[in-house]
Amino acid sequence: MTSFTNTRVRAARAAIMAGAGSALLLAMPAAAQDAAAQDEEDAIVVTGIRETIQNSINTKREETAIVDALSSDDIGDIPAISVGQAIQTITGATTHREKGDASEIALRGLGPFLSNATFNGRDATNGSGDRSVNFNQFPSELVNTIKIYKTQQASLVEGGVAGTIEIGTLRPLDFGKTRIQGEIKAQYNPYGDRITGGTGGIGWRGTLSYVDQFANDTIGIAIGVQRNDTNNPEETYAASSTWTPCRADNSAAGNCTELNRKNGDYGKVPFFLVPNAYTFRQISETDKRDAVFGAIQFRPTDTLDINFDVQYSKRTYVESRRDLNLSEARYGLTNVVYDENGIVQSLNGLSALESNGSELSRAEEYLGGGVAVDWQATDRLTIKLDGSYSRTIRKEIERNVRLRTDPMDVNGVRTAFNNMRIPYKYEITPGSFVPTITIDPRFDLNNHDLFWDDARLRRDESKRHNEIYAGRLDAIYELDGFLKTISVGGRWSQLTFRDYDLRNGDFNFNPAMAEDKRINNLCRQAFPQTSFLSAAKGNAIDSWATFDVDCLFREYMGTEDPGNLADTRATANRDVTERTLAGYVMADYDADLGNMPVRGNFGVRIVNTRVVSDGLRSGLSIVDRGDGTFQIKTNGDFETITTKSSSTRILPSVNAIFEVAPKTQLRLAGYRAMSRPNPSALGAGRTITIDGENFSSVADAIRNIQSNGSPRLKPLMSWNADAAIEWYPNKDSLLSATVYYKQFTGGFEPVVYDETFTINGEDITVPVTQTRNSADKSRIYGLELTAATRFSFLPKPLDGLGAKVSYNYADSNFETQDARLGDQYYPETDTFSEGIIPPANISGYSKHVLSAQAYYDIGPVSLQAFYNYRSKYFQDFVGGSGLLRYVGPSETVDFRASLNLMKGVSLRFEALNIFNEPKATYMPVYGSSRQYHYYGAKYFIGIRARI
């Protein structure tokens, strides 16, 4: 099925969901009347899904800012297997999925860069190099409240143009009861069942928590632990991330001829777009996570409350990757058919084929916590003090082996091609995300004899260290009259981000053929999966010859792991320190405008940010390869370059709520907001890329020196206005509509600086592409709709049915240029060079986001079904490469059920991604297929007991 067909199907389903939402709206008046009468007759105690929805509706109604929430009174009642999946059930929120689970969060169709996430009111670190909370590190069973602030107020930690996500855990004294709870779940992944020699797709997770109060309710403790041991196999096709615009008058001999921007080719010479390589990848994976949450609350008097909380999580996953790589996607191209955007529909090519294997392990450890003190100094004055610490360390090691084709097989017999390069055909149906790559049938992909030459072994290691120290002081003074409180406060924080990404050489081996033959035969491995990419209609490759990575390392190098470099300095390393000092003043008011109650707040927050970024510059040396070619490598002499930057921003805000009727509220909000660049985007390092092995000069050898960040980047600023009308007919029902407008000042654009590098005593000028703030103005406006109700007017047992539908529409004219192929600015001449591909919108922007939830909750039975749709969006690469990557439209359907077996004991079932929705990405223009992933569905069944 093509992506265009998928789009039509998704649009049809979205229309059905919109129709269902309309039906829900028509049913609400009857539901409101019946439920209101029932609430007047009975004092009903609700639990489960209905309680969670009621709490969420009540939170939205009571908050001063525009807020949507997911809240439960009891521990472990957040209805999701992960925090990320819980968030996507909240109005206006959607996710980007990795490994089949929710990861990055987008609010109102805007990406994570424009959002701020806090944990218990504090910034939290992660190992990705951005500012989002790593939701996969935190068990949903140990989280009680998730709030999304759609508008800002002066007391909130700054950083959210799209909004602020606040994740909270319980305080034991506020919880007010003893609770012992245990839950164990078994996981089944059908894709895991297709892995040869695996666990059969079986995994598990167990959670245990305890909450209690002592000493006449002056001391409370809460502790929760979880072990998660699951598997997330994956199968994928991917093109490389570097794409070349080839001249349409390309010669079939050698690599295609690239358009030359400096020679004026851009905009004049027809072209088509091709990557450097095509890769088919099979992944077997295990994923383990241990988490501990704890809190001690001490309330010695009615005026003093001290809470200490800590969170620890360690996640380790191991991937075994087996790749089939067509490493020369630009070589020998003929019969190229392409469209007006340069997107290839079909071509014939020649490429060496590689059987690559990798063993990758990642360990990520999170430690965070803090102390919060609330002191009611007088009847009117409350002082709040909070100190916190957060640290994430992520370490990743990958060992990779390549075996390549040759004119002869490993037995010395010449192949049918008498060449290392094998003919293939690439073709793709217009609009599809699944290219069909057909290898010449004379070549047997499953014949191990054909993969043996140019053995190359690599060992890569990366480490990221992200740490935050923070403290804040708030004072709230109560008043009489129009102003109810005055709040003043300040916050200081220091964030550090350091990383390295090192390769312990390219170990190339060309021993005697007899030795290659011995190792080839010894290390052969059966293809580790059945039915590879069987769900991808159009794929023509389902297996190939694979090898044992550990065996190849042992036989070629004498060790399975050669270890890291002794010197971890490198030009690409990042070392960023960001210090923030902020202060605010805010007033809450509550009065009557005639006979209409009015409440809200207004205030201003001032934020000063100072950035210090250290980067390394290395001397470069020429290494003669002895065959007429040479390489360029760092020579070990480093110089530290320090770049400093600072900014001060003033953020006013005002929120107003008008109770226009007893159950109807009108909200108005205006505010200025900021979103800081990711820490990884503030690096001052340089990445050196060598283009090929056959060149005649040093200048030709350096294809590009790419910056890995821009320390002088300033926050993205926006002026914002929101207006919402909300109707609360009863505790179970909500109907709201919000319109919003955001005007951005200063986008981002590539800028090219000439820098001089000394190589073997020769000064070489190289253009270095960075990113800078532009003076451009852009805007986003949108509409957000939510409807929720319980159909209590229906006859029993149908009165347990309920539904919630939310939809967000956003329209933006923001522009993000591709760093290589888009518009570029040259400050030396104050000129622009027009690119050849259109710009993307702002990162993470989706025009349409739709979610729907249907539930049945009555007696011992609880059922929930979730549907989520998100239209296409641009997703930038973490680290600020500036290359454009698009993610296609996605929709997922999840299901959850529970059955109360007896008091305190319930049977629980969950199913994720039921219809095996793939993720498809495109580069560098939308429609040019770059990658697609299949993860399969996941099923969980377990039992929970609480006393």
Side-chain angles (χ1 to χ4, degrees):
M1 182 179 292
T2 69
S3 64
F4 285 170
T5 303
N6 282 337
T7 300
R8 288 196 295 267
V9 171
R10 291 178 180 124
R13 292 179 183 172
I16 292 171
M17 299 307 299
S22 300
L24 186 149
L25 297 182
L26 293 173
M28 284 189 69
Q33 182 179 2
D34 187 86
Q38 182 178 346
D39 288 344
E40 290 176 3
E41 294 175 3
D42 307 300
I44 302 173
V45 178
V46 297
T47 59
I49 302 170
R50 187 182 179 193
E51 176 196 27
T52 300
I53 291 178
Q54 282 191 2
N55 288 342
S56 302
I57 291 174
N58 186 62
T59 299
K60 180 179 181 68
R61 185 174 189 175
E62 296 299 323
E63 285 283 350
T64 303
I66 296 178
V67 170
D68 284 287
L70 188 62
S71 176
S72 66
D73 288 336
D74 217 332
I75 189 168
D77 278 353
I78 293 292
I81 200 73
S82 71
V83 172
Q85 289 181 29
I87 291 174
Q88 75 174 5
T89 67
I90 301 175
T91 297
T94 189
T95 66
H96 173 85
R97 290 202 172 193
E98 292 289 348
K99 295 185 178 296
D101 200 357
S103 55
E104 298 175 352
I105 303 297
L107 300 181
R108 288 178 165 176
L110 304 178
F113 161 63
L114 295 176
S115 304
N116 186 43
T118 59
F119 197 92
N120 286 336
R122 307 157 182 152
D123 284 339
T125 56
N126 70 38
S128 300
D130 56 25
R131 297 181 187 272
S132 62
V133 172
N134 187 349
F135 302 108
N136 289 325
Q137 291 292 106
F138 303 117
S140 61
E141 292 90 340
L142 303 178
V143 169
N144 280 72
T145 303
I146 303 171
K147 291 182 181 180
I148 299 179
Y149 288 86
K150 307 292 183 64
T151 62
Q152 294 294 302
Q153 56 189 36
S155 59
L156 290 177
V157 175
E158 69 282 345
V161 166
T164 296
I165 303 170
E166 165 60 20
I167 301 170
T169 56
L170 63 80
R171 291 188 173 189
L173 290 181
D174 298 342
F175 186 66
K177 53 188 173 184
T178 301
R179 172 72 74 215
I180 301 174
Q181 180 170 297
E183 183 173 7
I184 188 164
K185 296 177 181 177
Q187 176 209 329
Y188 173 65
N189 187 328
Y191 267 42
D193 201 19
R194 304 192 314 195
I195 303 299
T196 304
T199 63
I202 302 298
W204 68 280
R205 61 191 289 163
T207 309
L208 183 65
S209 58
Y210 171 61
V211 184
D212 211 343
Q213 301 80 35
F214 306 94
N216 296 321
D217 291 337
T218 60
I219 298 175
I221 65 169
I223 186 169
V225 296
Q226 185 183 84
R227 159 62 68 93
N228 186 77
D229 190 345
T230 58
N231 56 83
N232 302 291
E234 178 183 348
E235 49 189 24
T236 181
Y237 154 85
S240 62
S241 60
T242 301
W243 288 66
T244 298
C246 296
R247 296 177 63 102
D249 54 2
N250 165 68
S251 170
N255 286 329
C256 69
T257 304
E258 182 175 355
L259 291 189
N260 191 312
R261 185 192 289 262
K262 289 187 176 181
N263 291 346
D265 289 352
Y266 278 26
K268 298 179 181 178
V269 179
F271 67 93
F272 57 89
L273 297 161
V274 292
N276 286 345
Y278 305 110
T279 301
F280 294 85
R281 173 169 291 173
Q282 182 275 335
I283 301 176
S284 307
E285 191 233 50
T286 60
D287 190 339
K288 296 181 180 180
R289 182 189 64 200
D290 294 312
V292 180
F293 282 24
I296 299 175
Q297 188 175 5
F298 178 47
R299 190 179 293 155
T301 70
D302 292 339
T303 60
L304 182 62
D305 193 326
I306 303 171
N307 189 78
F308 170 77
D309 64 275
V310 64
Q311 304 85 37
Y312 174 81
S313 177
K314 184 174 183 179
R315 184 186 182 203
T316 303
Y317 74 77
V318 178
E319 287 186 354
S320 293
R321 300 175 174 178
R322 298 298 180 263
D323 298 351
L324 175 67
N325 193 34
L326 285 72
S327 59
E328 299 173 291
R330 296 188 294 145
Y331 192 93
L333 304 182
T334 59
N335 304 320
V336 182
V337 179
Y338 60 95
D339 68 9
E340 67 277 7
N341 298 311
I343 299 173
V344 171
Q345 315 300 225
S346 64
L347 58 76
N348 293 88
L350 297 171
S351 176
L353 302 185
E354 300 172 353
S355 177
N356 294 352
S358 296
E359 298 294 330
L360 181 146
S361 64
R362 175 188 289 178
E364 183 163 338
E365 182 182 68
Y366 175 85
L367 175 64
V371 178
V373 179
D374 291 3
W375 175 43
Q376 189 172 343
T378 70
D379 291 343
R380 292 179 177 268
L381 177 64
T382 301
I383 306 294
K384 296 185 176 183
L385 178 66
D386 187 278
S388 63
Y389 173 77
S390 178
R391 184 204 68 196
T392 297
I393 300 174
R394 175 189 288 184
K395 185 176 182 179
E396 187 171 287
I397 298 173
E398 180 177 3
R399 295 174 297 120
N400 175 273
V401 178
R402 177 199 70 188
L403 297 176
R404 183 183 277 174
T405 52
D406 185 83
M408 294 184 292
D409 68 15
V410 75
N411 300 305
V413 178
R414 295 221 168 252
T415 67
F417 311 99
N418 196 28
N419 194 311
M420 66 178 290
R421 297 184 173 92
I422 310 302
Y424 69 92
K425 183 174 184 179
Y426 173 102
E427 53 188 341
I428 186 168
T429 303
S432 175
F433 63 83
V434 181
T436 300
I437 295 180
T438 306
I439 307 298
D440 190 305
R442 293 174 295 170
F443 186 90
D444 182 1
L445 286 173
N446 293 291
N447 186 350
H448 291 79
D449 289 346
L450 301 177
F451 298 93
W452 66 276
D453 196 24
D454 295 334
R456 184 196 65 202
L457 285 74
R458 288 175 171 171
R459 201 266 192 192
D460 295 328
E461 179 174 317
S462 64
K463 185 176 182 180
R464 292 174 178 171
H465 187 284
N466 188 196
E467 192 171 46
I468 298 175
Y469 292 90
R472 65 178 295 168
L473 175 65
D474 300 85
I476 302 99
Y477 190 79
E478 296 182 6
L479 301 170
D480 297 321
F482 172 71
L483 295 181
K484 296 303 180 183
T485 64
I486 294 288
S487 302
V488 296
R491 178 178 177 271
W492 171 89
S493 70
Q494 176 176 289
L495 176 150
T496 58
F497 178 80
R498 299 188 298 273
D499 74 349
Y500 66 74
D501 192 346
L502 301 175
R503 170 164 292 166
N504 190 357
D506 284 336
F507 302 103
N508 295 282
F509 295 89
N510 287 288
M513 182 174 287
E515 180 65 3
D516 275 327
K517 180 178 180 179
R518 182 189 71 81
I519 296 174
N520 181 285
N521 281 274
L522 179 65
C523 299
R524 294 181 179 187
Q525 184 184 62
F527 191 73
Q529 179 182 329
T530 60
S531 304
F532 177 78
L533 284 179
S534 58
K537 306 304 180 185
N539 173 57
I541 294 175
D542 58 10
S543 64
W544 56 90
T546 59
F547 297 85
D548 186 310
V549 172
D550 290 339
C551 176
L552 291 171
F553 263 87
R554 283 195 308 269
E555 298 304 316
Y556 277 113
M557 298 194 66
T559 178
E560 291 184 2
D561 188 352
N564 198 15
L565 296 173
D567 187 355
T568 59
R569 294 177 300 169
T571 57
N573 291 2
R574 300 177 180 92
D575 188 347
V576 177
T577 300
E578 178 187 83
R579 295 181 177 90
T580 300
L581 184 63
Y584 78 93
V585 58
M586 184 179 77
D588 288 275
Y589 60 89
D590 193 343
D592 292 327
L593 186 61
N595 294 323
M596 181 172 58
V598 179
R599 62 185 174 90
N601 60 45
F602 59 89
V604 63
R605 188 176 187 91
I606 302 176
V607 184
N608 176 262
T609 305
R610 297 179 181 272
V611 174
V612 178
S613 184
D614 291 334
L616 295 176
R617 301 293 182 269
S618 172
L620 302 175
S621 299
I622 295 177
V623 179
D624 190 341
R625 294 170 56 88
D627 59 359
T629 66
F630 58 88
Q631 290 180 314
I632 294 178
K633 293 187 176 181
T634 58
N635 61 18
D637 297 328
F638 292 95
E639 177 186 4
T640 300
I641 304 296
T642 299
T643 305
K644 298 182 179 181
S645 176
S646 65
S647 63
T648 300
R649 298 292 184 263
I650 300 175
L651 310 176
S653 62
V654 58
N655 290 275
I657 304 170
F658 302 86
E659 191 172 330
V660 295
K663 297 180 179 181
T664 304
Q665 294 182 161
L666 171 66
R667 294 178 183 265
L668 299 176
Y671 56 97
R672 194 184 190 207
M674 59 182 280
S675 287
R676 292 188 178 89
N678 292 328
S680 60
L682 299 173
R686 298 290 181 264
T687 300
I688 301 173
T689 302
I690 306 303
D691 185 19
E693 297 180 347
N694 300 303
F695 35 75
S696 58
S697 69
V698 174
D700 291 339
I702 301 177
R703 178 168 180 256
N704 193 20
I705 294 184
Q706 183 74 36
S707 69
N708 64 2
S710 302
R712 295 184 179 89
L713 277 179
K714 300 298 190 292
L716 181 68
M717 306 302 299
S718 71
W719 287 100
N720 311 266
D722 289 63
I725 186 74
E726 301 165 354
W727 179 43
Y728 300 90
N730 58 64
K731 293 180 179 180
D732 296 294
S733 302
L734 163 68
L735 179 61
S736 69
T738 304
V739 292
Y740 55 90
Y741 178 83
K742 300 177 183 294
Q743 183 183 68
F744 294 100
T745 303
F748 303 109
E749 64 185 6
V751 57
V752 180
Y753 294 100
D754 286 338
E755 296 186 2
T756 300
F757 291 81
T758 302
I759 305 174
N760 274 22
E762 181 182 356
D763 287 342
I764 304 296
T765 300
V766 179
V768 179
T769 302
Q770 302 181 44
T771 301
R772 72 166 190 171
N773 295 94
S774 72
D776 296 340
K777 293 184 182 294
S778 57
R779 55 98 187 119
I780 294 176
Y781 61 81
L783 169 67
E784 189 174 71
L785 302 172
T786 302
T789 194
R790 178 172 176 263
F791 302 110
S792 53
F793 60 90
L794 294 175
K796 295 183 181 299
L798 299 180
D799 58 339
L801 289 170
K804 175 185 174 183
V805 176
S806 64
Y807 169 73
N808 185 86
Y809 170 83
D811 185 271
S812 169
N813 63 356
F814 197 96
E815 291 188 354
T816 302
Q817 298 287 344
D818 185 88
R820 293 187 62 244
L821 306 179
D823 296 351
Q824 291 185 348
Y825 173 69
Y826 296 85
E828 287 82 3
T829 58
D830 193 28
T831 58
F832 277 90
S833 170
E834 188 173 346
I836 55 172
I837 65 172
N841 213 290
I842 198 165
S843 179
Y845 161 75
S846 290
K847 178 167 285 190
H848 303 283
V849 173
L850 175 67
S851 66
Q853 173 184 353
Y855 69 88
Y856 180 80
D857 188 15
I858 195 165
V861 178
S862 178
L863 307 173
Q864 287 178 288
F866 297 92
Y867 170 84
N868 285 277
Y869 169 80
R870 181 181 186 183
S871 60
K872 67 180 179 73
Y873 55 98
F874 155 56
Q875 184 193 31
D876 56 355
F877 289 91
V878 174
S881 71
L883 302 180
L884 299 187
R885 171 180 57 175
Y886 299 88
V887 180
S890 66
E891 60 179 347
T892 57
V893 177
D894 303 330
F895 177 77
R896 301 184 184 100
S898 66
L899 174 65
N900 292 332
L901 303 177
M902 62 183 69
K903 183 178 180 180
V905 180
S906 59
L907 182 68
R908 308 171 78 82
F909 172 79
E910 298 177 66
L912 306 181
N913 193 23
I914 294 174
F915 299 112
N916 188 20
E917 172 74 7
K919 185 184 80 173
T921 64
Y922 305 87
M923 285 187 74
V925 295
Y926 187 72
S928 177
S929 181
R930 189 248 172 176
Q931 188 172 20
Y932 58 86
H933 305 251
Y934 281 89
Y935 310 97
K938 294 180 183 179
Y939 303 96
F940 298 83
I941 187 168
I943 191 166
R944 185 179 74 179
R946 59 169 46 157
I947 57 175

